[in-house]
Amino acid sequence: MNLNNKWLWMLGVVGLMGCDVSSQSDAVTVAARNSCEAYADCEQIGSGKKYANDDDCMTREKAFWNNLWSVEACDEHINSKNFDFCQEAIKVLSCGSIVDQAVLVADKCSRNKVCSGNP
């Protein structure tokens, strides 16, 4: 990821994290950005790597988070505290740790936790 894109992504995440994220769409975008930032930090974006480029990462990560947090289950039901905890967990994932990723999806960022807020 080039430096300009990295700063734009960070500004976008800060912009969305600065207010309560309540829509499923915003939550998916923030989670995808944080995930792609983590993959970039782990040098997993580029030719011959997990993701071919930034756009490939965002497209595939958005699909992943959309699948985990469906619109029906999550829209207007984002639990801000649990969502923020999930985002912090994404940011500190160990590069290539399958265990960390499994815990992230099954526990820290589970639909039951992230989508448990009141509308």
Side-chain angles (χ1 to χ4, degrees), residues 64-83:
F64 172 80
W65 293 110
N66 266 314
N67 186 53
L68 187 63
W69 304 329
S70 68
V71 171
E72 298 78 26
C74 293
D75 205 27
E76 304 303 324
H77 293 282
I78 301 298
N79 180 310
S80 295
K81 181 179 174 183
N82 291 345
F83 178 76

Side-chain angles (χ1 to χ4, degrees), residues 25 28-29 32 57-67:
S25 176
V28 164
T29 298
C57 185
M58 281 298 290
T59 298
R60 291 172 47 197
E61 286 298 310
K62 278 186 173 183
F64 172 80
W65 293 110
N66 266 314
N67 186 53

Side-chain angles (χ1 to χ4, degrees), residues 21-37:
V21 173
S22 61
S23 77
Q24 181 267 359
S25 176
D26 285 349
V28 164
T29 298
V30 170
R33 284 181 180 159
N34 285 330
S35 297
C36 289
E37 180 69 26

Side-chain angles (χ1 to χ4, degrees), residues 1 6 9 35-45 54 57:
M1 174 179 300
K6 189 172 185 175
W9 281 29
S35 297
C36 289
E37 180 69 26
Y39 284 118
D41 290 345
C42 290
E43 299 180 5
Q44 290 297 310
I45 299 177
D54 295 341
C57 185

